[in-house]
Amino acid sequence: AQSVTQPDIHITVSEGASLELRCNYSYGATPYLFWYVQSPGQGLQLLLKYFSGDTLVQGIKGFEAEFKRSQSSFNLRKPSVHWSDAAEYFCAVGLPYSSASKIIFGSGTRLSIRP
Amino acid sequence: SQTIHQWPATLVQPVGSPLSLECTVEGTSNPNLYWYRQAAGRGLQLLFYSVGIGQISSEVPQNLSASRPQDRQFILSSKKLLLSDSGFYLCAWKDGETEAFFGQGTRLTVV
């Protein structure tokens, strides 16, 4: 069955430090890959997406992610975090060829920023 | 441009009462529509999806149902709410093989 794993439930980093959020997926083919961010009590905003081509993807707010097919991973990175980056981050996979092109989400990683 | 509206933003309902959450999309035709539930610390669980009017698929057995009476309207319902139905409900839409766009969500508390 398809699944998305975000192994880190909660991460705390200092402002200005680098960040890497991990994501692994299980799917029989190469899925579409997404990272979303959610502020408390809000909907989800797309940070970046990968459909094909260059495996290093640039997104909004200075984020990037790298697709590694051999590791079934799509980790999110930012070289220097800001206090405003504190939020919940969700990795998701889109399932091409599935009914309604469903998108499956990981359980999320809550990011806290230490002043 | 496309927009998605979801209401109400918050809702407190007693156990056993009915539920109706509504989602509408503007600026697109024949979108795929989705209902997700977000329980505390558990990520987003896909509940229902629809590829067209009157076409509903359920992902998990539960106390809820969904309907799509019009092309851009998606409704989540329950006849009798349970405590376990509490959570944050998100509506989303897609147009083919793209990312999903989300509404602002409804916080449902069943008391």
Side-chain angles (χ1 to χ4, degrees):
Chain A
Q2 310 94 352
S3 65
V4 182
T5 301
Q6 293 181 249
D8 303 306
I9 297 173
H10 183 205
I11 285 181
T12 300
V13 300
S14 298
E15 190 168 16
S18 63
L19 171 71
E20 182 168 28
L21 301 183
R22 296 181 289 166
C23 174
N24 292 92
Y25 67 88
S26 175
Y27 185 55
T30 299
Y32 305 134
L33 297 160
F34 310 92
W35 275 99
Y36 285 84
V37 61
Q38 183 184 35
S39 298
Q42 299 295 311
L44 275 70
Q45 180 184 22
L46 181 72
L47 284 176
L48 46 78
K49 60 186 177 184
Y50 172 79
F51 280 71
S52 65
D54 192 347
T55 56
L56 184 62
V57 180
Q58 301 298 318
I60 63 171
K61 304 184 180 185
F63 286 92
E64 67 177 26
E66 186 172 12
F67 169 52
K68 292 186 178 180
R69 187 189 308 273
S70 61
Q71 298 177 20
S72 297
S73 70
F74 190 55
N75 294 349
L76 181 72
R77 301 193 294 248
K78 186 170 184 178
S80 177
V81 298
H82 186 262
W83 64 267
S84 60
D85 293 324
E88 185 113 25
Y89 291 80
F90 292 94
C91 180
V93 298
L95 309 179
Y97 320 119
S98 69
S99 178
S101 300
K102 292 181 285 186
I103 293 182
I104 306 299
F105 284 81
S107 56
T109 297
R110 185 161 63 92
L111 175 64
S112 298
I113 306 298
R114 189 185 303 118
Chain B
S1 63
Q2 303 89 353
T3 56
I4 179 169
H5 302 280
Q6 193 179 336
W7 68 92
T10 59
L11 192 60
V12 180
Q13 292 283 98
V15 169
S17 64
L19 173 73
S20 180
L21 303 181
E22 190 161 343
C23 172
T24 59
V25 181
E26 297 176 358
T28 186
S29 296
N30 197 32
N32 291 341
L33 296 172
Y34 307 83
W35 279 111
Y36 288 86
R37 177 170 59 201
Q38 186 177 18
R42 295 189 60 185
L44 279 79
Q45 181 185 36
L46 180 60
L47 302 177
F48 300 95
Y49 63 89
S50 172
V51 299
I53 296 174
Q55 301 178 61
I56 307 296
S57 296
S58 174
E59 283 291 289
V60 293
Q62 59 205 312
N63 184 45
L64 302 168
S65 62
S67 62
R68 185 171 178 173
Q70 300 180 45
D71 181 44
R72 290 168 289 178
Q73 184 184 29
F74 204 25
I75 298 172
L76 184 69
S77 304
S78 174
K79 293 182 179 178
K80 291 185 177 182
L81 283 169
L82 306 172
L83 286 174
S84 58
D85 293 323
S86 293
F88 192 54
Y89 290 82
L90 288 157
C91 180
W93 72 273
K94 283 172 85 267
D95 182 9
E97 302 292 359
T98 66
E99 65 268 32
F101 299 92
F102 285 83
Q104 290 301 296
T106 296
R107 172 73 59 192
L108 172 65
T109 303
V110 182
V111 296

